[in-house]
Amino acid sequence: MSSVHYCFQCGTALTSRILEGREREVCPACGWVHYPQLKVGAAAQIVVDGRLLLCMRASTPFRDTWNLPAGYVEADEPPARAAEREALEETGLRVRARRLVEAVYFDDDPRGSGILLVYACEILGGEPRPNAESREIRLFAPQEIPANLCGAGYREVVLRWQREGG
Ligand SMILES: [Zn+2]
């Protein structure tokens, strides 16, 4: 179920117990309970002339699939800032997050399940350029959306955008 096997408080190996109606990892020495938490990601929905910006991932997992510029939110960072930061890192574009458009759950990422917060972003400046994280950066009209999209969360967001006609 989880990769955590030792107590966060005392270092004792955790054991599985039924607690609050489900199996949880519990420390037999001090009673500490491991509650797995969802990861939080932030994504930038950038639309230019009715076309959606997608990046082709250069690294695993989901290498060679198209996704929105996105990444994990740091613990000391508001998610809207994370979307702006990831957009800059992955596309070279400076953007401003204008509004939260969607929150989707994903459970198909080998690094863990999570919530993806999607922000409609406006371009402030910069030029799109491929980099270590994005092999290719392109704009897609609704009818051009590629089939090889990144994981379930991104797929849900992109297909919703496509369904709504961009
Ligand atoms: Zn313990």
Side-chain angles (χ1 to χ4, degrees):
M1 56 188 264
S2 160
S3 60
V4 176
H5 299 291
Y6 295 93
C7 178
F8 188 74
Q9 290 193 141
C10 75
T12 302
L14 301 178
T15 56
S16 270
R17 283 228 320 257
I18 300 297
L19 201 63
E20 296 149 346
R22 58 185 292 170
E23 190 176 348
R24 297 193 188 279
E25 289 187 298
V26 179
C27 176
C30 75
W32 183 78
V33 182
H34 172 58
Y35 290 101
Q37 294 188 330
L38 293 171
K39 296 185 180 305
V40 179
Q45 177 180 288
I46 301 169
V47 178
V48 180
D49 297 332
R51 296 185 298 162
L52 180 66
L53 184 143
L54 296 176
C55 304
M56 178 171 271
R57 283 182 59 85
S59 54
T60 56
F62 305 113
R63 185 207 296 264
D64 295 340
T65 62
W66 293 96
N67 69 347
L68 300 167
Y72 292 126
V73 180
E74 300 288 355
D76 60 355
E77 172 185 56
R81 296 294 87 73
E84 295 168 352
R85 175 180 55 74
E86 292 288 349
L88 180 62
E89 290 173 7
E90 297 186 358
T91 71
L93 292 168
R94 285 184 295 110
V95 304
R96 172 72 42 80
R98 287 301 181 195
R99 66 188 172 89
L100 179 68
V101 289
E102 194 165 10
V104 294
Y105 172 74
F106 58 88
D107 63 1
D108 64 340
D109 191 316
R111 296 165 296 182
S113 299
I115 299 283
L116 183 65
L117 301 171
V118 184
Y119 291 88
C121 292
E122 169 196 353
I123 296 175
L124 301 180
E127 284 296 324
R129 47 171 169 71
N131 54 74
E133 296 182 62
S134 306
R135 292 207 300 115
E136 200 179 336
I137 300 160
R138 270 184 58 187
L139 294 168
F140 293 91
Q143 66 274 17
E144 298 169 339
I145 293 296
N148 56 330
L149 297 170
C150 187
Y154 296 99
R155 174 173 298 275
E156 185 176 338
V157 172
V158 172
L159 295 184
R160 186 261 313 147
W161 179 85
Q162 182 185 42
R163 208 167 45 243
E164 292 174 358

